[in-house]
Amino acid sequence: MKKNVTNRMKDLMVRRAMLFGLFVCMPRCVSAQVSPPMAVQPVPTEYQVAWQRMETYAFIHYGPNTFYGDDGIEWGYGNYPADTFNPTLGYCDVDQWVEALKDGGMKGVILTAKHHGGFCMWPTKYTDYSIKFGPYRGGKGDVVGELADACRRHGLKFGVYLSPWDRHQANYGTPEYVEHYKSQLRELLKNYGELFEVWFDGANGGDGWYGGAEGKRSIDKNNYYDFPTLFSYVRELQPQAIIFSNGGPGCRWVGNEDGIAGETNWSLLRSSDARPAYDGSYSPTGVEDGTVWVPAECDVSIRRPNWFYHRADDEKNVLSADALVDLYYKNVGRNATFLLNVPVTRTGRMHEKDVATLKAFREKLDRIFAHNLLSGAAVSASNERGGGYEAARATDGNYDSYWATADGVCQGALTFQFDKKTRLNRLVLQEYIPLGQRVKSFVAEYSADGKTWHDVNCGEQTTTIGHKRILVFPTVTARQLRIRFIDAKGPLCINNVGAYLAE
């Protein structure tokens, strides 16, 4: 009897030990994280990711061109006196500029510190053709500095445009001018706080008023400016700044001034093509087999087709808020950024019509994307990588969490089940680009009865996604929504899917 009791006690102790061991093990098993997918090269820098997440930011073209002639001009010849720049207010209302842009949802501002005419909007030490030699604030003004300070006050990022071409400088076309240009660039990089972008325009060489005489200068645009050294200055003094030129290295021109990216748009270029002044480097589509990360920037003016203010544009050439929303779909919604130019008038303020349009644009976008219809939908995936990369990660609102498939799985589907029939006409998809751009082809479908599937019919190629892809389509009523990823360059990494109804 005693022996049986002893054996029963031993059995009980063994069972308790097993249960305790299982209890201790369970939290470790549940919380175990699967390793993330390997990056698909090339990948963006952390600064390129932060820049692309800004999505919308502004250009400001302002200078002597605004004041020349009866209506202003687009390209200064280099022969206008320094006192041409003279806002009627007696100052630039930079706070009004920044407040208007912020109301429009702009996250930063790039100012034309020097356009092709050569006039400098800051009191540079390296030329007598600057704001210092005109009537503005009695020769004590500095529009670059004033705007930089206003951006800091209102929480916007600041950037500068410094035209390599200078139609005023006497030594343009000689090695001395290149050193002059480098000195001006270093002034801007060192004296105005943190810059988010430095803009190198692609217009180079031609006729001008060089040193007070009409003439024409030709240069080798690929080699004359010593771009490697210029870019090294930016990396040294403003390492976070994105460098814009035709071919990067930070971002590329999309190839038009209409604000429209290609329906297929890779953030990639071949290294042989990624050259600052090379005409073959700008592209609305990028290349699938690119070896360097050079995403597209789409620039367009709110006043088509002009970049500087012209009074004649007031009545007929200002884009509407609806037109700006449509452009947003075609640039940010196609894996690019939206650089919207808003010029300043002769008064020193932005025109009230432009200001109202900016505000209406942002209000429309905010209404459209106010509520993600998928936030309450049940989601399932054809394949999941495992712990930490489930399908639900695609709708959790966290940029750095994402649904991922297992290694070697480059196809898959996400299916969303609504709890009732739901109307929708906008779809947003995002890849987790810190690990590279992957998706080559996808299809978006809906089902009204849970049995038959229909394409949403967005009217464009559904190929690449990248940072963001927005599909616009006629309103459908769905019980289910399905995204089928047909092909990709690696395991899928989708960090956001959203469905919306634009009334």
Side-chain angles (χ1 to χ4, degrees):
M1 183 73 174
K2 183 177 180 180
K3 185 176 180 180
N4 289 338
V5 171
T6 302
N7 287 339
R8 285 197 297 270
M9 291 179 66
K10 286 182 178 178
D11 289 343
L12 183 59
M13 291 174 68
V14 170
R15 289 181 185 139
R16 285 177 176 175
M18 291 175 67
L19 287 170
F20 178 74
L22 180 61
F23 176 76
V24 171
C25 178
M26 283 178 65
R28 296 179 184 175
C29 297
V30 170
S31 62
Q33 292 291 307
V34 176
S35 60
M38 293 288 290
V40 172
Q41 299 293 336
V43 297
T45 67
E46 62 177 304
Y47 301 127
Q48 286 175 311
V49 174
W51 166 85
Q52 187 134 31
R53 292 182 68 185
M54 291 173 64
E55 296 191 352
T56 55
Y57 45 96
F59 236 164
I60 292 180
H61 279 62
Y62 196 41
N65 296 7
T66 309
F67 298 86
Y68 192 77
D70 293 333
D71 194 47
I73 61 167
E74 284 296 288
W75 281 20
Y77 199 67
N79 60 338
Y80 318 140
D83 60 10
T84 303
F85 181 77
N86 191 17
T88 56
L89 280 177
Y91 64 95
C92 293
D93 192 352
V94 291
D95 285 290
Q96 186 250 4
W97 308 356
V98 174
E99 288 169 356
L101 296 173
K102 190 172 182 177
D103 284 347
M106 303 296 118
K107 301 300 191 297
V109 185
I110 300 172
L111 175 69
T112 51
K114 184 183 79 167
H115 204 251
H116 312 323
F119 184 83
C120 296
M121 299 285 281
W122 79 102
T124 174
K125 296 187 296 184
Y126 298 100
T127 180
D128 59 0
Y129 196 47
S130 82
I131 201 166
K132 183 167 62 174
F133 295 92
Y136 183 73
R137 294 191 183 275
K140 304 296 183 183
D142 181 349
V143 176
V144 175
E146 291 169 29
L147 182 55
D149 289 343
C151 285
R152 281 188 286 272
R153 284 194 296 273
H154 296 278
L156 267 63
K157 296 181 181 294
F158 180 63
V160 294
Y161 166 125
L162 185 67
S163 172
W165 185 20
D166 190 319
R167 304 173 87 181
H168 176 86
Q169 198 65 25
N171 58 5
Y172 181 81
T174 70
E176 288 74 25
Y177 172 77
V178 177
E179 297 307 309
H180 164 88
Y181 184 79
K182 289 176 180 176
S183 297
Q184 289 188 327
L185 177 62
R186 288 182 69 87
E187 275 186 328
L188 293 173
L189 296 174
K190 292 171 69 175
N191 296 330
Y192 294 99
E194 185 174 293
L195 305 177
F196 83 94
E197 184 165 333
V198 178
W199 227 82
F200 295 93
D201 195 279
N204 294 289
D207 58 347
W209 193 257
Y210 301 104
E214 188 173 5
K216 188 171 184 177
R217 305 284 172 86
S218 298
I219 53 102
D220 175 0
K221 63 183 180 181
N222 289 304
N223 300 299
Y224 172 61
Y225 297 110
D226 187 14
F227 280 114
T229 298
L230 297 175
F231 296 166
S232 74
Y233 291 163
V234 179
R235 294 190 180 100
E236 170 199 351
L237 298 170
Q238 297 282 346
Q240 75 291 329
I242 299 303
I243 299 172
F244 168 91
S245 77
N246 279 0
C251 65
R252 73 180 191 270
W253 185 43
V254 77
N256 62 69
E257 294 183 347
D258 302 320
I260 298 175
E263 294 173 10
T264 296
N265 185 18
W266 292 96
S267 295
L268 315 174
L269 292 178
R270 300 182 188 95
S271 57
S272 58
D273 293 338
R275 290 179 276 159
Y278 176 53
D279 291 340
S281 59
Y282 54 78
S283 169
T285 63
V287 292
E288 180 184 330
D289 62 349
T291 55
V292 289
W293 189 275
V294 189
E297 177 183 83
C298 294
D299 58 334
V300 65
S301 185
I302 198 170
R303 291 169 169 258
R304 301 286 291 133
N306 296 317
W307 294 84
F308 286 88
Y309 176 79
H310 301 264
R311 285 176 293 185
D313 293 336
D314 290 349
E315 297 303 319
K316 58 182 180 179
N317 291 333
V318 179
L319 292 177
S320 67
D322 286 335
L324 294 179
V325 170
D326 185 60
L327 285 176
Y328 177 86
Y329 294 148
K330 293 175 180 176
N331 46 58
V332 173
R334 293 180 181 172
N335 187 38
T337 58
F338 189 1
L339 175 57
L340 178 64
N341 180 70
V342 186
V344 176
T345 73
R346 294 182 177 189
T347 65
R349 293 171 58 88
M350 288 180 173
H351 195 278
E352 59 185 14
K353 189 170 185 177
D354 300 356
V355 172
T357 299
L358 281 169
K359 186 174 183 179
F361 160 65
R362 180 51 51 177
E363 288 174 347
K364 285 177 179 289
L365 278 186
D366 289 346
R367 284 197 301 270
I368 292 167
F369 297 108
H371 175 58
N372 183 357
L373 298 170
L374 300 182
S375 59
V379 56
S380 61
S382 60
N383 178 276
E384 289 183 345
R385 189 173 188 83
Y389 302 99
E390 299 85 3
R393 303 284 179 163
T395 55
D396 66 3
N398 182 348
Y399 181 84
D400 290 309
S401 72
Y402 49 93
W403 165 62
T405 55
D407 289 341
V409 179
C410 302
Q411 297 177 325
L414 285 172
T415 303
F416 300 88
Q417 177 76 45
F418 298 107
D419 59 5
K420 61 181 180 180
K421 289 185 177 181
T422 301
R423 297 168 64 239
L424 59 140
N425 53 25
R426 302 289 186 271
L427 182 64
V428 176
L429 301 169
Q430 291 185 262
E431 289 187 84
Y432 189 62
I433 60 171
L435 293 180
Q437 187 178 356
R438 301 162 185 259
V439 175
K440 296 193 283 186
S441 178
F442 70 97
V443 175
E445 301 168 316
Y446 73 97
S447 175
D449 58 9
K451 300 175 182 179
T452 307
W453 291 94
H454 308 276
D455 192 288
V456 298
N457 292 323
C458 65
E460 60 184 51
Q461 301 176 59
T462 51
T463 48
T464 53
I465 295 175
H467 167 68
K468 183 171 282 189
R469 185 65 187 269
I470 302 176
L471 303 186
V472 177
F473 47 91
T475 301
V476 301
T477 301
R479 288 302 301 267
Q480 290 179 300
L481 178 69
R482 182 171 69 185
I483 316 298
R484 290 193 293 117
F485 300 91
I486 309 301
D487 195 12
K489 298 170 72 174
L492 301 168
C493 296
I494 305 299
N495 68 338
N496 181 48
V497 182
Y500 304 87
L501 178 66
E503 296 290 357

